[in-house]
Amino acid sequence: MLDISNKQDLTAIERILIVEDDDFQRHLVNKQVTKLCNAEVVAAEDGEAAMLAMINGFQPDVIFCDLNMPGVDGIELLRIIATLHFTGHIVLLSAESDEILQSVKLMSKSYGFASVNSLKKPITSKDLELVLLQALQTTSHKPQQHTDSAAQGFTDVELTQAMFHNQLCLFYQPMSTQLKSRSLVQKP
């Protein structure tokens, strides 16, 4: 059983990233987290701002991530964070149904995140404290690598920056094999 009255346990959390597009919710979570621990807190208004903070060197222990945001939403942000081999803890923030939160948790675990929790909005200080304590009790590990971008000559950070600056182009190669007895290449 977790003892949520022992705030000293939370001093191990040094950096927190809050990703929330709603100004009021972002300010509220920031204020509550600041009261609970002495962590350095970065509050990002969307997924792109969060990625820029991480690309520029901010390495959070815990990420509070809203799911519904314009532009880079929470689900896309989690996919990108996984490519950066994030080893901290994820806390999903949402007013969505429990079924949707469970689906996103499963998806996040498939990305290799060791600790994925969720909080339903509106969020209370007691709920925040509980998920922070749970994050501390979960052993973190590196997510599984999905691609070996280093073998291609690019780092994960370089690829992420390229995605945000629309610097990637897809090239499709014609195939000359048959698929279920249909030729993919026209024969003369």
Side-chain angles (χ1 to χ4, degrees):
M1 184 77 181
L2 292 171
D3 176 13
I4 62 172
S5 64
N6 188 356
K7 290 181 178 41
Q8 290 185 345
D9 290 341
L10 297 177
T11 59
I13 299 173
E14 296 177 3
R15 290 169 303 282
I16 295 174
L17 176 60
I18 300 166
V19 190
E20 170 63 65
D21 64 320
D22 182 86
D23 292 337
F24 177 76
Q25 289 288 337
R26 187 174 57 252
H27 177 73
L28 179 65
V29 173
N30 191 347
K31 187 175 179 178
Q32 290 173 334
V33 164
T34 304
K35 285 182 180 179
L36 292 170
C37 56
N38 294 327
E40 175 185 359
V41 178
V42 170
E45 66 275 1
D46 58 28
E48 188 170 343
M51 285 311 310
L52 289 175
M54 292 180 74
I55 288 169
N56 289 326
F58 187 72
Q59 297 178 5
D61 300 311
V62 178
I63 297 175
F64 288 93
C65 184
D66 184 20
L67 292 182
N68 294 322
M69 297 182 288
V72 178
D73 67 8
I75 293 171
E76 179 67 7
L77 179 62
L78 292 171
R79 186 191 64 73
I80 294 168
I81 289 170
T83 67
L84 297 175
H85 311 300
F86 176 69
T87 60
H89 308 280
I90 303 290
V91 180
L92 306 172
L93 305 175
S94 184
E96 295 292 337
S97 70
D98 290 336
E99 292 82 14
I100 290 176
L101 286 172
Q102 280 302 101
S103 295
V104 176
K105 279 181 174 180
L106 285 173
M107 179 204 69
S108 299
K109 293 235 182 225
S110 77
Y111 288 153
F113 296 126
S115 173
V116 182
N117 288 308
S118 62
L119 289 175
K120 296 274 288 186
K121 295 177 183 178
I123 299 162
T124 67
S125 290
K126 192 170 189 171
D127 291 339
L128 273 174
E129 187 173 6
L130 184 60
V131 296
L132 288 172
L133 286 169
Q134 288 171 337
L136 284 175
Q137 291 186 348
T138 304
T139 305
S140 77
H141 73 284
K142 272 194 167 182
Q144 298 170 353
Q145 294 183 6
H146 297 286
T147 61
D148 187 6
S149 58
Q152 302 298 320
F154 299 100
T155 66
D156 291 335
V157 171
E158 289 171 327
L159 286 174
T160 304
Q161 287 174 329
M163 285 188 323
F164 277 111
H165 293 91
N166 295 321
Q167 297 172 331
L168 298 178
C169 296
L170 295 178
F171 292 95
Y172 296 94
Q173 299 290 328
M175 296 177 66
S176 62
T177 61
Q178 292 185 357
L179 180 66
K180 293 186 180 179
S181 75
R182 289 188 171 181
S183 178
L184 295 177
V185 177
Q186 288 185 350
K187 295 181 181 178

